Amino acid sequence: MKKLFIVFALFFLFSCGDIDFVYKDNKNLLNPLYQKTNVNTSGVDLNFINSYIPMFFGDNKEDVFSLTINIEEKKTKRSVETNQATSNLRYELRFFYTLILNKDSCVTYEKEITSYFSIIPKSSGYNYGTDSSLEKKYELAISDNLNQFVSILSDKSIYNC
């Protein structure tokens, strides 16, 4: 019984010798702008962006970078009924990111990221379901866009002009 246990233990040790961990290098886990960035937003005033900025960029303690986010919104009626009521509305949110290195006062990175979503209005007046759905889609579009920007920056050299 002891020999069988030793054989299984050796087999287990040798079979696990070439395992690579998913988070072996934590390069993509870190946000290079976290607690180093002063963030300013302009353009369309979206409610949720101001609550997501501290989550993604933290408090500005080191003041290494300045990030300007300009947001533009475009609404497109995709389907119009015979009485001219909109039955499908497409929103396009364009985020223009400009990252400035403060010590050299130069632009280190610029990127435009676009987010899309559609909504089907249920009535011409106030409709709680449509309004809450629209707010949720705005929230998801903003968080997804900020996530994309941070993940792109993790692979870029942002300390050089």
Side-chain angles (χ1 to χ4, degrees):
M1 185 67 176
K2 223 180 206 188
K3 290 181 184 181
L4 187 61
F5 177 73
I6 292 172
V7 170
F8 280 123
L10 288 174
F11 177 73
F12 180 74
L13 287 175
F14 287 122
S15 65
C16 295
D18 195 25
I19 292 179
D20 288 333
F21 294 100
V22 175
Y23 297 118
K24 181 171 64 175
D25 56 346
N26 57 0
K27 179 180 170 184
N28 291 329
L29 295 177
L30 301 176
N31 180 355
L33 300 180
Y34 193 73
Q35 295 186 345
K36 300 176 187 176
T37 307
N38 181 25
V39 181
N40 295 315
T41 60
S42 62
V44 178
D45 185 29
L46 301 175
N47 296 333
F48 295 105
I49 190 105
N50 294 327
S51 62
Y52 276 102
I53 285 175
M55 250 175 33
F56 281 90
F57 303 108
D59 296 329
N60 185 14
K61 293 182 181 177
E62 297 178 30
D63 199 33
V64 177
F65 298 102
S66 292
L67 177 65
T68 304
I69 305 171
N70 185 17
I71 305 165
E72 293 179 2
E73 178 183 50
K74 181 180 175 184
K75 297 177 188 176
T76 307
K77 295 177 182 177
R78 298 195 55 183
S79 178
V80 179
E81 301 293 327
T82 56
N83 64 355
Q84 297 301 311
T86 303
S87 62
N88 193 345
L89 193 59
R90 181 177 188 217
Y91 287 81
E92 176 181 293
L93 295 174
R94 290 179 178 257
F95 290 73
F96 298 94
Y97 296 95
T98 305
L99 184 64
I100 299 171
L101 185 61
N102 288 338
K103 74 174 185 173
D104 295 336
S105 296
C106 63
V107 175
T108 61
Y109 190 71
E110 286 184 306
K111 182 71 175 172
E112 175 187 346
I113 301 175
T114 306
S115 297
Y116 303 96
F117 63 90
S118 294
I119 190 94
I120 300 171
K122 297 296 180 191
S123 71
S124 60
Y126 182 77
N127 185 338
Y128 177 75
T130 301
D131 292 343
S132 65
S133 174
L134 181 62
E135 286 181 7
K136 189 65 174 171
K137 288 187 179 193
Y138 267 118
E139 184 178 358
L140 290 172
I142 291 168
S143 67
D144 181 51
N145 204 296
L146 289 170
N147 272 323
Q148 285 182 34
F149 178 69
V150 169
S151 68
I152 289 170
L153 276 184
S154 66
D155 294 334
K156 302 292 180 187
S157 175
I158 58 173
Y159 289 95
N160 300 328
C161 292

